Amino acid sequence: MRLKGKRIAVLAENMYQEMELWVPYYRLKEEGAEVVLVAPEKKTYASKNGYPVAADKASSEVSAKDFHGVVIPGGYAPDMMRRDQNLLKLVRECFEQGKVVAAICHAGWVPASAGILKGRTATCFVAIKDDVINAGAKYVDQEVVVDGNLITSRTPSDLPAFCRELVKALEK
């Protein structure tokens, strides 16, 4: 129960990558964290393969003060997440307040759109490498990168390292 008393937002949108949402979700719960699914609207969203996830809160109902960190799963969902100004504000404010912001795979689009990558070292799925670089980050090809309160990973196969670093960062 290393994360008892911690409240973490996990973002959701249609076309999310199943493992990148559910593995961190259950890993955080396993450590005692309260995990809140946050999406543009409080409704049910479908993964790339149709697996449902029901949002606990709409992005307009939450703020950075409500959480100790935010996890952004990949898939194609981040392309839609980054269009929601409330989600971007949540990510930006968590980051600015020194709270953990963790993004895996295509989720790098969200920190890029939130304007928090400039001067940071990060990784992501190779297809969005140019987006991450153009947002001002130094791209590296590693399973997980921790740069201050920013944690990034490349693909579902990196989930063990991603979750390990996520839990470690949230313990502080």
Side-chain angles (χ1 to χ4, degrees), residues 60-81:
S60 61
E61 299 176 311
V62 300
S63 70
K65 70 177 174 43
D66 299 326
F67 301 104
H68 294 91
V70 60
V71 177
I72 312 159
Y76 300 119
D79 189 31
M80 290 173 271
M81 288 177 192

Side-chain angles (χ1 to χ4, degrees), residues 70 72 91 94-95 98-104 107-108 110-112 116-123 132 137-138 144-153 162 165-166 169:
V70 60
I72 312 159
V91 169
C94 279
F95 181 79
K99 297 175 180 182
V100 173
V101 173
I104 185 166
V110 175
I116 65 170
L117 292 181
K118 188 171 185 167
R120 296 294 179 151
T121 300
T123 195
V132 167
K138 175 186 174 196
V144 66
V145 175
V146 179
D147 186 346
N149 58 326
L150 178 67
I151 302 169
T152 54
S153 279
F162 181 72
E165 295 301 328
L166 175 61

Side-chain angles (χ1 to χ4, degrees), residues 1-4 6 8 23-33 71 100 102 151 159-172:
M1 300 305 248
R2 295 160 54 188
L3 300 179
K4 188 170 176 56
K6 302 285 182 157
I8 316 303
V23 171
Y25 176 89
Y26 284 117
R27 182 69 186 95
L28 293 168
K29 286 182 83 65
E30 176 184 37
E31 290 295 346
V71 177
V100 173
I151 302 169
L159 278 163
F162 181 72
C163 289
R164 179 189 68 236
E165 295 301 328
L166 175 61
V167 170
K168 189 187 308 181
L170 287 166
E171 276 185 301
K172 298 176 184 174

Side-chain angles (χ1 to χ4, degrees), residues 11 20 24 31 36-37 48 53-54 78 83-84 87 102 106 114 119 136 138 154 164-165 171:
L11 305 187
E20 294 169 359
E31 290 295 346
V36 180
L37 291 160
K48 288 168 56 176
V53 62
R83 301 171 200 188
D84 184 283
L87 286 180
H106 285 80
K138 175 186 174 196
R154 303 169 301 190
R164 179 189 68 236
E165 295 301 328
E171 276 185 301

Side-chain angles (χ1 to χ4, degrees), residues 8-16 21-22 25 35-47 52-63 67 70-73 77-78 80-91 110:
I8 316 303
V10 174
L11 305 187
E13 213 344 328
N14 284 318
M15 300 295 287
Y16 72 90
L21 186 146
W22 292 109
Y25 176 89
V35 183
V36 180
L37 291 160
V38 178
E41 297 177 50
K42 188 177 174 181
K43 66 177 194 175
T44 299
Y45 294 85
S47 72
V53 62
D56 298 312
K57 296 279 186 178
S59 59
S60 61
E61 299 176 311
V62 300
S63 70
F67 301 104
V70 60
V71 177
I72 312 159
M80 290 173 271
M81 288 177 192
R82 67 184 175 164
R83 301 171 200 188
D84 184 283
Q85 292 306 306
N86 291 316
L87 286 180
L88 294 180
K89 181 179 177 190
L90 174 64
V91 169
V110 175

